[in-house]
Amino acid sequence: MPLRFSIITPSFNSGDTLERAIQSVLVQDYKNFEHIIVDGGSTDGTLEILERYPHLRWISELDEGQVDAMNKGFTMAGGEIIGYLNADDYYLEGAFSAAAEAFDDPEIKMVMGKIRVYSEEYDCWWENDPATDFDRMLRHWEKNAFCVNPVGYFYRKEVQEEIHLNSDNDDKQDLEFLLEVADRFPGGIRKLDRVFGEFINGLNTKTAQEQHRLDYWRPDNFSFLDRFLEKRSPGYQAEFRARQACGYQVRTNWTIKNAIKNGHADEYFEKGDLFQLPAAKIDISSHTVFSENIYPAAVGDSVVVMLSAGKVASQSVIESLRLLPENVFPYPSYHLHIVSDASEEFKNKLQNEPREFLNQLISGHALGCFLKKRGDKFRWKFITGVREPLSQLMSLQYMIYPLSCISSKDDFFRYVDIRWSYVSDYFNQVYRDILGLDIFGIPFDITRGYSIIKKGNVEVLIYKLEMLDNICSEAVGRFLGIPDFILSRFNEAKDKPYNKAYRKALSCLENSFTSEELDRFYSNPIVTHFYSDMEIAGFRKKWGN
């Protein structure tokens, strides 16, 4: 006896598309089926359509949503094979017979095919060619990770008897169900290389409206994944969470891009739901100019800020990250040396600083003000470096004033006093006063060469420049979930026009400082907190007379 298919269609005011769905069942060359319609009390002429087809079994009454309607249909089903066909979707000819043949193998619990999907938003068709293994399905944010609509699969009735549809997860119950099937019946899903049906993803569908929310791609919106992860090892969970954070932000970037395209970005920005620092050369009185090439961050997203005193390879780190593809590094990223939320102080600096620093000031002030007002709504990932101070001060001097001529200690001290104040007190002025993080009060892993500090929604990666080549891949990998990160070189002194003068100045100063002069630099917490006694002794030997 051929297997009997029970096709269940939940509907509500779907008169425009329901008849097409009914016809797609009737034209199948496999005739051992029943078609059950569970209507939610439609008032649009749906009942007249149902009455025209005597082969249908149907009810029309109020329900508690789609899953409730699906469960009602399931209790009415008498077939061995279950298929769900939404009222606005339809099967292609031959779908039933192809699936029935695959079910001849009693070990097969579910048969899955492909789906053609029409995107009303982009006015195009694409083919969903879903994976069938649990690990791929779990990464549901990836294209083709799972079957995006039940028109693409059938399963044995006992599967749903064992795995109930979750009425508490009405909008994502299909993903939860598929994950449960793949988890409980490994090897029990057979994939066929054919298209089973077509899914019309309209702008007014529940799926489209949900995914256009800025807060849709958030872990708490997919909390049902937690019970699947509980069975996995801590290493598996950590890797998954890193991929999940990255994948969700990629999808949120798409949502943001659509908001920009459709003119909603300003509206979201004014409500504080989007964050982006001012663009280069923008007037301070205006807010950011949104760009389709630079994604802002939505509430709950991560923002990566390279925030450090200068000449600690900060540009090399941030530019190496920006070279990565979006699916590896999807985060808005900024490179700043200055952060301030003091408006009067800021205005004074704006008037006095050289023109080339204006964008740093504008962006730094915008970030400081935003952190104070809405910083708790985002996840902040700050990266900062430390460096042996005399080398850093010399590099800073020539970066800011490339025509400097330093040929003696007197020249050095005349130039660097103001920069030493900036470097030595940087962590207090920026991380303590603005971010509320007492860096010097938190132990640093001197041997490893980097530490990751977490406090609430803020994380900070601190590294030692002298060890960066050896630790960068591990440190950035842990901090951002990027495996095999490779550091490229940018903005190095050897590539600058002032390199010759800079090297000459270094040679003049080596082995020229007294012990008392070195104490001024190497007894400061900016050194003692991050470097071992042996490392400090090496620095003193290099510079001391």
Side-chain angles (χ1 to χ4, degrees), residues 9 65 67 70 98 183 194 235-236 241 258 273 347 379 405 407 446 453 461 477 486 521 524:
T9 297
V67 173
M70 294 169 73
D183 191 34
R194 66 176 299 146
Y236 184 101
R241 291 302 187 194
N258 285 331
D273 293 337
K347 290 177 182 177
R379 292 194 292 269
C405 181
S407 58
I446 292 175
I453 297 170
L461 167 63
I486 298 175
F521 302 103
N524 190 284

Side-chain angles (χ1 to χ4, degrees), residues 139-142 217-219 237-256 295 300-304 321 324-332 379 381 459 476-483:
R139 300 196 296 274
H140 59 99
W141 57 85
E142 296 179 355
W217 294 101
R218 297 288 176 264
Q237 293 183 44
E239 181 182 356
F240 175 81
R241 291 302 187 194
R243 289 190 180 191
Q244 182 186 36
C246 180
Y248 281 10
Q249 192 136 348
V250 169
R251 296 299 294 262
T252 301
N253 286 350
W254 298 354
T255 303
I256 293 171
Y295 294 111
D301 277 352
S302 293
V303 182
V304 174
L321 289 170
L324 297 171
E326 185 193 11
N327 65 326
V328 176
F329 183 72
Y331 310 107
R379 292 194 292 269
K381 289 182 172 289
E459 291 183 84
V476 174
R478 283 186 58 200
F479 190 59
L480 296 175
I482 300 174

Side-chain angles (χ1 to χ4, degrees), residues 84-86 88-92 95 110-119 124-132 143-154 174 178 191-201 207:
Y84 286 98
L85 175 66
N86 293 328
D88 49 356
D89 306 324
Y90 50 95
Y91 290 116
L92 298 183
M110 174 180 282
V111 176
M112 189 177 293
K114 303 175 184 178
I115 306 174
R116 276 203 293 267
V117 183
Y118 175 72
S119 170
C124 68
W125 289 88
W126 65 279
E127 188 170 276
N128 174 218
D129 185 8
T132 60
K143 185 177 180 181
N144 291 327
F146 70 102
C147 198
V148 297
N149 187 281
V151 75
Y153 54 84
F154 305 91
D174 51 348
L178 288 172
K191 173 75 175 297
L192 301 184
D193 186 20
R194 66 176 299 146
V195 178
F196 276 178
E198 296 188 345
F199 163 43
I200 308 301
N201 189 18
T207 300

Side-chain angles (χ1 to χ4, degrees), residues 173-245:
Q173 54 77 26
D174 51 348
L175 171 61
E176 184 176 7
F177 179 77
L178 288 172
L179 283 168
E180 196 73 68
V181 174
D183 191 34
R184 292 200 199 182
F185 304 108
I189 303 176
R190 175 164 293 174
K191 173 75 175 297
L192 301 184
D193 186 20
R194 66 176 299 146
V195 178
F196 276 178
E198 296 188 345
F199 163 43
I200 308 301
N201 189 18
L203 287 172
N204 294 322
T205 63
K206 181 170 65 175
T207 300
Q209 291 178 345
E210 279 284 303
Q211 294 190 11
H212 276 74
R213 288 175 17 221
L214 286 178
D215 63 348
Y216 179 80
W217 294 101
R218 297 288 176 264
D220 57 356
N221 206 24
F222 294 86
S223 57
F224 61 90
L225 299 179
D226 294 344
R227 62 187 176 85
F228 294 108
L229 290 170
E230 287 173 359
K231 307 173 188 177
R232 270 63 192 178
S233 69
Y236 184 101
Q237 293 183 44
E239 181 182 356
F240 175 81
R241 291 302 187 194
R243 289 190 180 191
Q244 182 186 36

Side-chain angles (χ1 to χ4, degrees), residues 373-418:
K373 184 179 180 182
R374 295 277 290 173
D376 61 328
K377 303 299 182 183
F378 296 78
R379 292 194 292 269
W380 301 93
K381 289 182 172 289
F382 294 95
I383 305 175
T384 191
V386 294
R387 183 180 183 184
E388 182 271 302
L390 292 187
S391 297
Q392 183 177 8
L393 291 170
M394 286 290 288
S395 292
L396 275 171
Q397 175 63 32
Y398 277 91
M399 179 188 74
I400 298 171
Y401 297 104
L403 298 180
S404 297
C405 181
I406 298 177
S407 58
S408 67
K409 281 193 302 180
D410 290 340
D411 293 337
F412 174 81
F413 283 116
R414 185 167 61 253
Y415 283 128
V416 304
D417 275 350
I418 187 171

Side-chain angles (χ1 to χ4, degrees), residues 311 315 398-399 402 490-502:
K311 305 313 294 181
Q315 188 168 349
Y398 277 91
M399 179 188 74
F490 294 87
N491 198 35
E492 290 189 280
K494 66 180 179 62
D495 300 323
K496 301 293 184 179
Y498 59 74
N499 181 52
K500 187 174 181 180
Y502 167 66

